[in-house]
């Protein structure tokens, strides 16, 4: 009898956990205005800063600016409309190459001149040609197309654009004469130059992370009740000290005033390293544990990769 | 006072007592440090642990802390294996005492001072004492090899022995233990050399963070080789130990032991030559195939033995009766089963990753590849731990229903947890990234449930052992008495042998 009860409890727990959880694409969250302008830029002055986990003092000998927030769905929709109109990008079926696989996807694509290739072990060749920027028919895309004009799903207008490949992110920045930040540019903008007790900042706002500092796995953010612990993207600049419908945030801007440099979405970096060609991702996402939000942690993927947890911002 | 002395005598001068202390040490480490990650962070338990214990956790030092933690657990597991081996392998009594004493002082120093250094501020006295502890463990390994020395005359086997041996009578099982220890000593040196450059051109890193870095330094490669081979050697160690436990002999053992010796030499050579050889992985694949074949021989032998013993009274046992006999004793069935299960969750995953690396895993983001890698070696480490517990539970004399519950909970719950972890790490093969919430919920729950029940079972077992220590003549007393008797008998045999040897010398010199 006791054995039966034990086994039944196990089965019940398992079944309870198997109840279908909402996917990130299945429900739409309410629109939340954060008051942070996605069109704004922050100046990062030239000078040294502690780089990487071991705080190597690294000099960036030029001033540069970086977007205060990630590029939003609304901004990316505007880009697509402009670039489609002037023929910079196209729409339709395109080959996607990843490792030894090639498949076709429908979406927005454009030309990329390719990377130098040395045939190193596991090096992936990125050839010149048309590359997928955004798979328009994939689940999780927050852009819709009506009569050839792209627009954001209204509730997601100020969320970071996701499902964009590195090619798509790079094309966005280049279209406006900007560039994707290098890892060094990004990290300096994220952690600043200050050293406390011999260490640079591990998070954009300082030394410790609280649940209401950023959007990460099981951070109990505004939307986790709707989407479960994996969560979803949050509007850019949400963590600015304001309270939204009872949800209090901490002001989590970096020392240079950038938001979402930890959590929300991974951000594509501009570097192309020889002998590998993976593109780096920084910042962690709503899907990451807090340890992966530390400013020096990176992730990487092929430039053809797109994901509901990957976005970008530009530098100039 | 005498009450305390007797207990301390048991805990620090008997194999079962020493093992009990070491298992308790690992359990305490697991209980405390398990609260610093995973769901415990979500539930806020981490903050409570950190505040109560006054830990100093700086974000930049996390990787270093984890490395120290791995080392303290590894030292303790090595100690447990050494205790088992010094008991089951013929050696002189004073050798056993010296090895165990050196090992015990070493691992305890490494654990205490390693954790103090890592989690309570960087006092470099602690770091120095941590290194002293590790050096003692290393020295215990050297003593162990000296005691094992398979070429000694007294440990040679008869020509008709059912155990694997050379024409000259060298015991190949003993040789396998010896080679395993030698490989561990060499591999530890690789780790030590690299560690000595720490803060002097070498920086702390976790191996899984570097998998996509195309050009690694020699020191980084040395560490990667070291960590892989050490875990493999611990697995080889427990395989040999349970082989001894199950009296592995006959034709399968005679095939298995040479395979094990060649496999350990090959795999170790491959793992360490990663530093300078491009094709080192090929050597590793060949070597590990030999080791896995040796383990397969063990599984076939023990399962056949369990079936034969369990159906001894039946003239023509049916299939179901054979299965019943096989599953009758989970503690004896378990080690072989966990080795088979390991093929699905560790070796299988590793081979699949190697074959499909460019096609699948390098197409995924680094984070996902990393989860699969860390998942499969954590599972191997945990499977080894379950086998150690099965053997120790048998040594502890668990019987009847308690034995069955303990054994089956260990097997079923660990397999549920590890199978879930394996599926979790490969979930992209089955579920789109955008629809993973359901899979994540279920798999995380199963992992937590499986591991949680194992830890609770272990806690109950240890509490029972603790309670027993307060009994005047509890199990500890009987175990200690039995062990002392065995040791005394062995010593008598040794003394007789020595006496015969001395008499022979006297006779020879008086002529």
């Amino acid at each position: 009898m006791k054995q039966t009860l034990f086994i039944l409890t196990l089965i019940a727990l398992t079944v309870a956990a198997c109840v279908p959880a909402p996917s990130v694409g299945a429900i739409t969250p309410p629109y939340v205005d954060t008051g942070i302008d996605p069109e704004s830029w922050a100046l990062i002055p030239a000078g040294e800063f502690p780089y990487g986990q071991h705080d190597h003092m690294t000099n960036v000998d030029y001033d540069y600016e970086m977007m205060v927030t990630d590029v939003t769905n609304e901004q990316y929709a505007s880009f697509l409309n402009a670039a489609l109109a002037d023929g910079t990008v196209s729409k339709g079926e395109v080959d996607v190459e990843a490792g030894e696989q090639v498949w076709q996807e429908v979406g927005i694509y454009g030309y990329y001149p390719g990377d130098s290739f040395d045939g190193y072990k596991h090096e992936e060749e990125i050839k010149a040609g048309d590359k997928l920027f955004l798979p328009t028919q994939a689940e999780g895309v927050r852009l819709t197309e009506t009569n050839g004009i792209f627009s954001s799903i209204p509730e997601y207008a100020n969320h970071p654009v996701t499902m964009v490949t590195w090619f798509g992110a790079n094309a966005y920045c280049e279209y406006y004469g900007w560039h994707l930040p290098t890892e060094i540019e990004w990290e300096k903008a994220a952690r600043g130059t200050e050293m406390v007790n011999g260490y640079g900042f591990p998070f954009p706002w300082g030394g410790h992370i609280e649940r209401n500092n950023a959007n990460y796995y099981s951070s109990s953010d505004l939307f986790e009740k709707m989407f479960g612990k994996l969560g979803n993207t949050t509007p850019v600049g949400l963590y600015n000290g304001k309270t939204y419908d009872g949800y209090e945030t901490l002001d989590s801007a970096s020392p240079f005033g950038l938001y979402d440099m930890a959590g929300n979405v991974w951000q594509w970096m501009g570097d192309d390293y020889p002998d590998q060609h993976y593109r780096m991702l920084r910042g962690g996402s709503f899907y990451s544990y807090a340890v992966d939000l530390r400013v020096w942690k990176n992730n990487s993927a092929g430039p053809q990769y797109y994901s509901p947890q990957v976005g970008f911002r530009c530098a100039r | 006072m005498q009450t305390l002395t007797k207990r301390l005598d048991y805990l620090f001068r008997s194999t079962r007592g020493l093992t009990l202390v070491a298992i308790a040490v690992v359990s305490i480490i697991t209980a405390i440090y398990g609260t610093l990650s995973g769901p415990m962070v979500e539930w806020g338990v981490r903050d409570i642990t950190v505040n109560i214990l006054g830990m100093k956790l700086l974000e930049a030092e996390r990787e270093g802390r984890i490395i120290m933690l791995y080392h303290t657990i590894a030292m303790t597991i090595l100690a447990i294996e050494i205790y088992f081996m010094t008991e089951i392998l013929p050696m002189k009594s004073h050798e056993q005492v010296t090895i165990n004493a050196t090992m015990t002082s070493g691992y305890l120093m490494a654990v205490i001072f390693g954790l103090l250094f890592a989690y309570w501020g960087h006092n470099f006295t602690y770091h120095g004492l941590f290194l002293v502890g590790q050096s003692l463990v290393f020295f215990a390994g050297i003593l162990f090899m000296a005691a094992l020395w398979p070429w000694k005359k007294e440990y040679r086997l008869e020509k008709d022995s059912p155990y694997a041996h050379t024409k000259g009578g060298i015991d190949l099982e003993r040789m396998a233990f010896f080679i395993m220890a030698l490989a561990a000593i060499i591999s530890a040196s690789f780790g030590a050399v690299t560690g000595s450059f720490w803060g002097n051109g070498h920086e702390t890193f976790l191996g899984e963070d570097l998998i996509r870095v195309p050009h690694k330094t020699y020191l980084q490669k040395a560490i990667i080789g070291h960590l892989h081979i050490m875990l493999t050697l611990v697995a080889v160690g427990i395989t040999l130990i349970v082989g001894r436990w199950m009296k592995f002999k006959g034709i399968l053992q005679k095939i298995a032991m040479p395979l094990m010796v060649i496999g350990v030499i090959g795999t170790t050579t491959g793992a360490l030559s990663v530093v300078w050889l491009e094709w080192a992985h090929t050597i590793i694949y060949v070597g590990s195939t030999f080791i896995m074949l040796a383990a397969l021989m063990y599984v076939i032998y023990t399962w056949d033995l369990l079936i034969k013993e369990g159906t001894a009274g039946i003239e023509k046992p049916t299939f179901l009766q054979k299965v019943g006999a096989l599953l009758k004793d989970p503690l004896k069935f378990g080690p072989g089963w966990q080795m088979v299960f390991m093929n699905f969750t560790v070796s299988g995953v590793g081979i699949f990753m190697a074959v499909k690396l460019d096609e699948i895993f390098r197409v995924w983001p680094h984070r996902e590849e990393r989860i699969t890698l860390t998942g499969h070696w954590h599972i191997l480490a945990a499977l080894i731990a379950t086998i150690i517990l099965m053997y120790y539970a048998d040594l502890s004399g668990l019987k009847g229903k308690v034995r069955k519950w303990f054994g089956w909970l260990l097997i079923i719950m660990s397999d549920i947890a590890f199978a879930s972890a394996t599926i979790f790490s490969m979930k992209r093969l089955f579920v789109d990234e955008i629809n993973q919430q359901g899979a994540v919920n279920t798999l995380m729950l199963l992992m937590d449930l499986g591991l949680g029940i194992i830890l609770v079972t272990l806690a109950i077992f240890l509490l029972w052992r603790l309670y027993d220590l307060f009994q005047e003549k509890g199990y500890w007393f009987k175990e200690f008495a039995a062990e002392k008797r065995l040791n005394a008998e062995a010593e008598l045999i040794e003394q007789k042998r020595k006496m015969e040897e001395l008499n022979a010398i006297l006779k020879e010199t008086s002529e």
Side-chain angles (χ1 to χ4, degrees):
Chain A
M1 183 60 190
K2 279 178 190 168
Q3 286 174 346
T4 317
L5 263 178
F6 177 71
I7 291 164
L8 283 175
T9 312
L10 270 186
I11 294 169
L13 278 169
T14 312
V15 170
C18 291
V19 171
S23 79
V24 175
I27 355 172
T28 310
Y31 181 82
V32 177
D33 182 13
T34 65
I36 304 297
D37 179 11
E39 299 290 343
S40 53
W41 293 72
L43 174 71
I44 292 95
E48 280 194 333
F49 80 105
Y51 180 62
Q53 182 167 11
H54 304 289
D55 294 319
H56 294 294
M57 292 312 290
T58 302
N59 188 36
V60 182
D61 60 2
Y62 52 89
D63 296 342
Y64 61 98
E65 287 186 317
M66 199 177 292
M67 288 179 152
V68 166
T69 72
D70 298 314
V71 171
T72 63
N73 285 304
E74 191 170 33
Q75 287 172 313
Y76 203 79
S78 302
F79 154 68
L80 290 184
N81 293 329
L84 277 166
D86 63 24
T88 312
V89 302
S90 309
K91 204 168 50 175
E93 198 172 78
V94 63
D95 283 350
V96 180
E97 286 177 72
E100 293 163 3
Q101 296 180 44
V102 181
W103 67 94
Q104 284 75 42
E105 293 219 29
V106 173
I108 304 294
Y109 63 88
Y111 181 77
Y112 179 73
D115 297 335
S116 62
F117 180 66
D118 299 316
Y120 193 75
K121 193 178 176 187
H122 299 304
E123 181 181 356
E124 191 179 332
E125 187 173 7
I126 311 294
K127 296 175 194 153
D130 283 336
K131 305 292 179 188
L132 179 73
F133 288 179
L134 179 116
T136 48
Q137 296 181 352
E139 194 180 356
V141 172
R142 274 78 183 266
L143 303 179
T144 54
E145 185 188 4
T146 314
N147 300 326
I149 302 294
F150 280 93
S151 59
S152 166
I153 297 171
E155 292 82 357
Y156 281 114
N158 64 346
H159 285 233
V161 65
T162 54
M163 306 294 282
V164 177
T165 65
W166 181 88
F167 299 117
N170 183 58
Y172 176 95
C173 295
E174 286 189 346
Y175 186 79
Y176 295 108
W178 311 324
H179 63 273
L180 283 171
T182 62
E183 287 198 87
I184 289 177
E185 287 174 338
W186 187 92
E187 190 172 317
K188 184 176 178 183
R191 73 193 306 197
T193 56
E194 197 180 338
M195 299 277 280
V196 178
N197 297 327
Y199 291 98
F201 280 4
F203 298 107
W205 52 86
H208 302 283
I209 185 167
E210 302 291 338
R211 288 185 181 212
N212 40 0
N213 267 133
N215 178 9
Y216 60 98
Y217 178 76
S218 195
S219 62
S220 310
D221 67 62
L222 201 53
F223 301 144
E224 277 193 12
K225 279 182 191 162
M226 293 174 70
F227 294 97
K229 284 194 287 189
L230 286 189
N232 191 5
T233 55
T234 42
V236 296
L238 183 83
Y239 295 89
N240 59 12
K242 283 187 181 175
T243 301
Y244 307 90
D245 196 18
Y247 179 74
E248 191 183 340
T249 65
L250 295 170
D251 187 4
S252 308
S254 81
F256 296 113
L258 284 79
Y259 289 94
D260 294 309
M261 293 297 271
N264 210 4
V265 289
W266 288 102
Q267 297 167 44
W268 284 116
M269 297 293 104
D271 314 77
D272 169 33
Y273 294 106
D275 299 338
Q276 53 167 321
H277 305 306
Y278 293 113
R279 299 313 201 257
M280 294 299 159
L281 294 152
R282 289 289 196 119
S285 77
F286 63 86
Y287 209 146
S288 308
Y289 278 108
V291 290
D292 281 336
L293 269 59
R294 292 176 299 168
V295 286
W296 55 78
K297 290 294 285 184
N298 62 21
N299 190 359
S300 69
Q304 81 296 330
Y305 177 72
Y306 57 81
S307 158
Q309 46 168 330
V310 174
F312 68 99
R313 71 179 74 202
C314 307
R316 62 185 182 192
Chain B
M1 187 62 193
Q2 211 184 5
T3 311
L4 183 66
T5 314
K6 275 184 190 171
R7 266 72 172 178
L8 286 177
D9 236 14
Y10 163 72
L11 289 173
F12 290 99
R13 294 186 61 197
S14 74
T15 298
R16 282 148 192 81
L18 283 166
T19 311
L20 178 61
V21 172
I23 290 177
V25 166
V26 175
S27 304
I28 291 167
I29 293 175
T30 310
I32 294 174
Y33 295 90
T35 65
L36 300 183
S37 60
M40 294 296 185
V41 179
E42 293 168 34
W43 300 336
V45 182
R46 178 185 193 266
D47 295 339
I48 297 169
T49 305
V50 170
N51 289 333
I52 289 178
L53 298 178
M55 289 177 170
K56 292 175 185 167
L57 307 184
L58 288 173
E59 293 293 343
E61 294 168 354
R62 180 176 183 270
E63 281 70 10
R65 284 197 298 272
I66 289 175
I67 291 166
M68 297 288 276
L69 183 61
Y70 288 159
H71 276 85
T72 58
I73 293 174
M75 294 301 125
T76 316
I77 296 297
L78 287 178
I80 292 172
E81 290 201 350
I82 280 283
Y83 300 147
F84 289 159
M85 290 186 287
T86 54
E87 185 187 56
I88 59 179
L89 294 168
M91 64 177 62
K92 293 178 185 68
S93 172
H94 71 87
E95 288 173 333
Q96 184 190 19
V97 170
T98 314
I99 295 164
N100 286 354
T102 313
M103 192 74 194
T104 306
S105 51
Y107 97 81
L108 284 175
M109 279 184 80
V111 167
I112 294 166
F113 295 107
L115 293 177
L116 279 175
F117 177 78
Y119 289 84
W120 280 274
H122 284 1
N123 182 327
F124 275 85
T125 306
Y126 296 156
H127 194 268
L129 291 170
F130 166 70
L131 294 180
V132 171
Q134 292 206 108
S135 304
L136 284 169
V137 171
F138 185 88
F139 187 54
I142 302 275
L143 291 175
F144 177 65
M145 279 170 56
L148 274 188
W149 198 252
W151 292 274
K152 279 183 196 167
K153 269 188 186 170
E154 61 262 40
Y155 300 130
R156 295 203 177 200
L157 298 174
E158 299 294 327
K159 277 188 177 173
D160 56 351
S161 168
Y163 294 96
H165 57 84
T166 64
K167 278 186 183 170
I170 295 170
D171 180 350
L172 287 178
E173 187 187 48
R174 195 176 185 88
M175 179 65 83
F177 275 107
F178 177 81
I179 294 291
M180 180 268 297
L182 174 65
I185 289 292
I186 296 171
S187 168
S189 308
F190 259 63
V193 167
T194 314
S196 64
F197 281 88
W198 184 61
N200 186 20
H202 170 64
E203 290 173 335
T204 305
F205 70 95
L206 294 180
E208 55 267 27
D209 284 338
L210 295 191
I211 46 180
R212 290 191 177 181
V213 175
H215 304 287
K216 300 174 187 73
T217 67
Y218 289 132
L219 294 176
Q220 289 169 338
K221 287 180 185 173
I223 289 288
I224 290 166
H226 162 78
L227 64 93
H228 278 89
I229 195 59
M230 285 310 275
L231 187 58
T232 307
L233 292 171
V234 171
V236 167
I238 195 64
T239 307
L240 290 170
I241 289 166
V242 293
R244 194 84 195 168
W245 172 32
M246 297 296 289
K247 298 186 175 57
F248 186 23
K249 61 187 171 198
I251 184 69
L252 289 172
Q253 198 252 7
K254 287 179 178 177
I255 301 170
M257 288 307 129
L259 287 176
M260 194 62 112
V261 170
I262 297 166
V264 170
I265 293 171
T267 311
T268 309
T269 307
L272 298 180
S273 62
V274 158
V275 177
W276 59 84
L277 262 190
E278 273 292 316
W279 48 278
H281 277 89
T282 310
I283 309 175
I284 296 171
Y285 295 147
V286 174
S288 48
T289 305
F290 278 78
I291 293 176
M292 284 163 73
L293 281 173
L296 177 67
M297 303 291 162
Y298 164 82
V299 173
I300 295 170
Y301 172 83
T302 50
W303 286 10
D304 183 56
L305 182 74
L306 290 174
I307 291 170
K308 279 181 182 156
E309 283 180 357
T311 57
I314 307 166
E315 197 176 332
K316 278 192 175 178
T318 63
F319 176 73
L320 282 179
Q321 283 171 323
K322 285 180 181 176
V323 172
L326 179 65
L327 304 180
K328 194 176 167 190
D329 182 356
L331 293 186
K332 289 194 168 170
F333 163 74
W337 166 253
Q338 297 292 69
M339 287 178 204
V340 172
F341 185 74
M342 184 202 73
N343 286 294
F344 299 107
T345 52
V346 182
S347 323
V349 172
I351 293 165
F352 183 63
M353 280 193 82
V355 172
K356 297 281 184 184
L357 189 67
D358 288 328
E359 193 181 325
I360 296 178
F361 294 93
R362 288 285 156 95
V363 177
W364 291 355
H366 174 203
R367 275 288 306 164
E368 301 292 324
E369 188 184 352
R370 192 178 182 279
I371 288 171
T372 313
L373 284 170
T374 50
H376 95 283
W377 77 258
H378 273 88
I379 290 170
L380 175 58
L383 281 171
I384 294 168
T386 62
I387 297 175
I388 286 175
L389 287 175
M390 285 173 202
Y391 180 52
Y392 181 69
D394 183 72
L395 286 184
S396 289
L398 281 196
K399 287 188 177 68
K401 279 193 172 180
V402 177
R403 184 181 176 99
K404 291 206 168 180
W405 271 96
F406 185 85
W408 283 119
L409 278 176
L410 210 53
I411 294 170
I412 296 170
M413 289 302 143
S414 64
D415 289 0
I416 287 176
F418 303 150
S420 305
T422 304
I423 299 168
F424 179 88
S425 73
M426 302 234 196
K427 57 189 179 297
R428 274 177 193 249
L429 289 176
F430 323 109
V431 195
D432 283 347
E433 195 178 344
I434 202 159
N435 295 312
Q436 286 179 357
Q437 181 75 67
V440 168
N441 287 352
T442 309
L443 294 168
M444 294 278 263
L445 180 80
L446 290 172
M447 275 186 265
D448 293 342
L449 189 76
L451 293 176
I453 289 178
I454 288 174
L455 292 175
V456 169
T457 308
L458 179 59
I460 293 169
F461 178 73
L462 287 174
L463 284 173
W464 166 63
R465 294 302 320 227
L466 184 64
Y467 167 78
D468 182 65
L469 276 174
F470 287 95
Q471 305 303 304
E472 181 60 29
K473 294 200 170 171
Y475 278 93
W476 70 272
F477 183 83
K478 290 169 199 159
E479 279 175 7
F480 198 22
E483 201 170 314
K484 277 201 282 192
R485 174 175 297 196
L486 273 177
N487 286 343
E489 284 168 0
E491 190 61 27
L492 270 178
I493 294 169
E494 172 62 19
Q495 295 288 352
K496 272 184 193 167
R497 192 194 61 77
K498 193 75 190 170
M499 192 180 277
E500 282 167 12
E501 196 180 301
L502 292 173
N503 278 330
I505 294 171
L506 286 176
K507 199 175 169 188
E508 191 185 316
T509 49
S510 63
E511 280 169 1

